[in-house]
Amino acid sequence: MKVQEQKEAYLMLEDGTWYKGIAVGKIGTTSGEICFNTGMTGYQEIYTDPSYFGQIIVNTTSHIGNYGVKEDEQESAGVKFSGLVCRNFSDMFSRYDGDSSLQAYFEKNGIVGISDIDTRELVRHIRSTGATMNAVISSEILDIEKLKEAVKNVPSMKGLELSSIVSTKESYFLGEPTATYKVAVLDLGVKTSILKNLTTRDCYLKVFPAKTTYAEMKAWSPNGYFISNGPGDPAVTSYAIDTVKSILAEDKPMFGICLGHQLLAEANGIPTYKMPNGHRGLNHPVKNLISGLSEVTSQNHGFAVDANSIPKDSNVEITHINLNDNTVEGIRLKNKNAFSVQYHPESSPGPHDSIYLFDQFVANLK
């Protein structure tokens, strides 16, 4: 059976470039910032990562949907991205213990997508523009001029505060209450696998909503603080920047990942900026400047820390750099017990070169 009985769909880019393909998922219209992920596997983990909130994902691997979906492989309570663009989409799956097809999963979660697109050509076009673009996917609006008008109304990711939207609304606990360490997690869009990496290291967690004040977190008397990943522009996430500043003022152990990394920089007066295309995939090379070793890393970010501003603060040290473009991938404070990385050491589904960072954080709690 063909996906959606070969119903046509269109992808319209902000610059007026458009593509015709086949509809997948729900019949409808969706919009967001278009970005591409170079990972060869792990599509369900990508789609449920809260950091992708508000984005349309182009999967560059040729086949999507082959192994279906499983409930226990989600990185959050549900789908977080806005829409899918892919080359070949399968509405049948081969994994014997899969829970459902990706097509059924998309229909259940209201996700609009498009397949039969030359994703190699599309990614080359996106990269050549030198700027991130917004896009619209529709399998119900088939008029090109109407789609050109629709894409004009999609807001830019720059200046958007999104973490409070995807964050938990109520605090909750994870792990064993008898664990050695108590860690307060500021949920800005945290992934489930990050929390698992902490609880399996003898940590009892209390996960707080994004706009929780430091005073509220401190009242729980944690041994340390974790600042999570999440979507949106770090520069306008001012409430979280203030929380990070308060944690630093009391010099409590702190670890930040992705957005948490950017917020640690912003809290120290180091600005962040919107990248032309961002880093998204499971194959990004990073060098640890402390050990001299290189790591293959999992990444998902569209903003970065300004490397030129770091030398102005003698207390901030760059610990990791991206070997593709020399962007900042990690920092630590010389005068505080705090460090952060831009990439994802939990690396679900992989690779696991950077898992040592969780051990490093737990060591700091002692």
Side-chain angles (χ1 to χ4, degrees):
M1 184 181 73
K2 297 294 184 180
V3 176
Q4 291 294 325
E5 297 182 355
Q6 293 285 331
K7 181 173 177 59
E8 65 183 15
Y10 287 85
L11 167 67
M12 175 64 68
L13 303 185
E14 189 176 353
D15 67 355
T17 304
W18 58 274
Y19 300 81
K20 182 179 179 180
I22 303 300
V24 302
K26 175 188 175 183
I27 299 302
T29 302
T30 191
S31 63
E33 178 184 82
I34 193 164
C35 61
F36 55 91
N37 186 293
T38 57
M40 296 292 289
T41 186
Y43 54 74
Q44 185 180 355
E45 290 89 339
I46 293 168
Y47 305 155
T48 56
D49 178 353
S51 294
Y52 279 112
F53 185 78
Q55 294 179 313
I56 290 173
I57 298 172
V58 181
N59 282 115
T60 62
T61 191
S62 299
H63 298 275
I64 296 296
N66 303 51
Y67 56 83
V69 295
K70 285 188 68 178
E71 188 67 29
D72 61 1
E73 291 181 354
Q74 299 204 141
E75 287 294 344
S76 64
V79 177
K80 294 297 188 294
F81 78 137
S82 292
L84 169 70
V85 181
C86 68
R87 177 67 183 93
N88 300 309
F89 184 89
S90 175
D91 58 358
M92 299 178 66
F93 63 98
S94 58
R95 187 163 49 167
Y96 75 94
D97 59 347
D99 293 326
S100 76
S101 69
L102 188 57
Q103 172 65 23
Y105 183 73
F106 279 176
E107 290 177 355
K108 177 182 177 181
N109 288 278
I111 295 298
V112 175
I114 184 171
S115 69
D116 286 50
I117 298 295
D118 184 346
T119 51
R120 179 172 293 184
E121 190 279 330
L122 172 60
V123 169
R124 283 176 174 170
H125 177 74
I126 294 171
R127 293 182 65 181
S128 68
T129 62
T132 307
M133 291 189 290
N134 289 326
V136 169
I137 300 172
S138 186
S139 47
E140 60 181 0
I141 301 173
L142 306 180
D143 185 298
I144 297 301
E145 294 307 314
K146 289 182 179 179
L147 290 172
K148 286 181 179 180
E149 288 302 311
V151 78
K152 293 178 182 178
N153 297 321
V154 183
S156 170
M157 190 66 71
K158 183 176 176 60
L160 285 184
E161 189 285 299
L162 300 175
S163 288
S164 60
I165 299 175
V166 300
S167 174
T168 182
K169 305 310 175 189
E170 301 289 339
S171 298
Y172 62 93
F173 296 92
L174 280 177
E176 296 296 329
T178 56
T180 303
Y181 309 106
K182 294 168 62 177
V183 175
V185 177
L186 187 63
D187 176 13
L188 304 169
V190 71
K191 292 173 64 180
T192 299
S193 54
I194 289 177
L195 301 177
K196 288 179 180 177
N197 269 283
L198 292 171
T199 57
T200 56
R201 286 170 171 78
D202 204 18
C203 294
Y204 182 50
L205 313 180
K206 186 172 184 180
V207 184
F208 293 90
K211 292 190 174 182
T212 304
T213 64
Y214 173 63
E216 293 175 78
M217 298 173 74
K218 180 183 177 182
W220 188 54
S221 300
N223 298 101
Y225 297 83
F226 176 79
I227 313 300
S228 86
N229 62 295
D233 188 339
V236 300
T237 315
S238 55
Y239 57 86
I241 295 173
D242 291 340
T243 299
V244 171
K245 286 180 178 178
S246 297
I247 297 170
L248 293 175
E250 295 209 13
D251 196 18
K252 301 293 289 186
M254 180 171 62
F255 178 26
I257 288 177
C258 203
L259 179 60
H261 163 75
Q262 297 156 3
L263 295 176
L264 179 59
E266 290 277 358
N268 284 276
I270 299 168
T272 53
Y273 63 93
K274 187 81 169 64
M275 302 176 75
N277 291 297
H279 296 156
R280 299 175 181 90
L282 310 178
N283 50 6
H284 289 258
V286 166
K287 183 175 182 179
N288 182 324
L289 300 179
I290 307 302
S291 68
L293 300 176
S294 295
E295 308 164 21
V296 178
T297 67
S298 175
Q299 303 209 6
N300 171 20
H301 62 101
F303 291 83
V305 171
D306 181 18
N308 295 325
S309 298
I310 292 180
K312 299 175 184 177
D313 190 332
S314 59
N315 290 319
V316 180
E317 177 183 15
I318 299 176
T319 57
H320 299 74
I321 60 167
N322 188 293
L323 291 175
N324 285 333
D325 59 14
N326 290 318
T327 50
V328 178
E329 294 283 2
I331 60 174
R332 69 179 180 184
L333 303 190
K334 298 177 182 179
N335 61 335
K336 302 288 183 181
N337 192 351
F339 72 100
S340 62
V341 290
Q342 180 64 81
Y343 52 97
H344 283 257
E346 80 287 351
S347 302
S348 178
H352 298 127
D353 297 21
S354 309
I355 206 76
Y356 69 90
L357 290 163
F358 290 103
D359 299 320
Q360 181 178 320
F361 175 54
V362 172
N364 289 349
L365 299 175
K366 298 179 180 177

